[in-house]
């Protein structure tokens, strides 16, 4: 048995999945935030496994893991996860194998991902205009009204 086989996420804590998405290396404690932004609640139908505060071999720091069977994520959803947890990895599982592994990345422009806090912003009017923010050094600048979001970004995720 290799050392890898001893990792709790390899079966002791939560089982491998057959098909779907594993969001791994989520910042410890943020798994439930990830579920919220994916719109997963107690009344939706996904098969889910969630592990929190798992010791990660990679960093020796705890992490959270979310496994969602039979679902793949959209680009917007991946961008939202990047805002919550920049070190997360998205693993696509098909027939028990990891067929794709990507790190999340906060793009330079976020479209339709974050709500502008300015009630007077045109993106909060009845006009069908999606929010658009430029990402500069971990702050978000609304491209319509120049409002800046510099803290609690998670609270503004749509
Ligand atoms: N996984 C799973 N079901 C599978 C295959 C993998 O739930 N059928 C999970 C693993 O438990 C792990 C993640 O998907 O949490 C990524 O799997 P893998 O790439 O095999 O693990 P590591 O090499 O440890 O990944 P990393 O290097 O990204 O930490
Ligand atoms: Zn605005």
């Amino acid at each position: 048995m290799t050392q890898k086989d001893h990792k709790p996420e390899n079966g002791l804590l939560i089982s491998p999945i057959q098909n779907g998405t594993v969001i791994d290396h989520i910042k410890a404690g943020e798994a439930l935030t990830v579920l919220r932004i994916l719109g997963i609640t107690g009344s939706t139908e996904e098969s889910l496994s969630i592990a929190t505060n798992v010791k990660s071999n990679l960093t020796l720091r705890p992490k959270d893991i979310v496994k969602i069977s039979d679902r793949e994520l959209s680009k917007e959803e991946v961008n939202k996860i990047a805002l919550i947890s920049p070190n997360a990895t998205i693993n696509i599982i098909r027939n028990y194998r990891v067929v794709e592994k990507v790190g999340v990345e906060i793009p330079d422009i976020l479209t339709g991902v974050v709500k502008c806090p300015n009630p007077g912003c045109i993106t909060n009017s009845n006009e069908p205009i999606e929010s658009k923010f430029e990402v500069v050094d971990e702050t978000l600048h609304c491209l319509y009204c120049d409002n800046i979001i510099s803290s609690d970004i998670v609270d503004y995720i749509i």
Side-chain angles (χ1 to χ4, degrees):
M1 224 189 220
T2 65
Q3 197 190 359
K4 194 173 160 167
D5 295 320
H6 291 288
K7 289 202 302 182
E9 63 267 35
N10 279 342
L12 275 172
L13 199 57
I14 41 178
S15 310
I17 60 171
Q18 184 171 9
N19 291 298
T21 301
V22 175
I23 310 165
D24 199 358
H25 302 287
I26 300 169
K27 198 166 145 196
E30 296 293 343
L32 298 181
T33 314
V34 169
L35 294 184
R36 177 172 66 77
I37 59 145
L38 295 180
I40 295 170
T41 67
S43 54
T44 46
E45 303 224 312
E46 294 87 355
S47 294
L48 283 180
S49 305
I50 302 155
T52 58
N53 295 311
V54 176
K55 287 282 183 303
S56 159
N57 278 6
L58 196 66
T59 61
L60 296 173
R61 259 181 274 127
K63 65 173 180 177
D64 287 4
I65 309 171
V66 169
K67 303 188 182 189
I68 313 169
S69 292
D70 302 319
R71 172 155 168 192
E72 300 197 0
L73 305 183
S74 69
K75 216 169 68 189
E76 284 75 23
E77 288 171 330
V78 172
N79 289 343
K80 291 177 186 179
I81 292 168
L83 287 175
I84 294 168
S85 195
N87 297 321
T89 55
I90 312 288
N91 299 273
I92 309 292
I93 313 293
R94 293 206 186 105
N95 206 12
Y96 289 105
R97 284 169 193 271
V98 179
V99 295
E100 200 183 324
K101 182 191 292 283
V102 288
V104 299
E105 203 182 355
I106 302 175
D108 295 336
I109 303 281
L110 290 168
T111 305
V113 166
V114 172
K115 182 179 158 63
C116 183
N118 170 14
C121 182
I122 191 160
T123 61
N124 290 321
S125 70
N126 289 332
E127 304 291 332
I129 300 177
E130 273 195 312
S131 72
K132 205 174 267 224
F133 284 84
E134 187 179 8
V135 183
V136 185
D137 298 332
E138 301 190 358
T139 63
L140 307 184
H141 296 225
C142 177
L143 291 178
Y144 290 98
C145 75
D146 283 338
N147 211 317
I148 292 176
I149 309 177
S150 53
S151 57
D152 301 323
I153 291 171
V154 172
D155 294 344
Y156 299 99
I157 295 175
I158 294 168

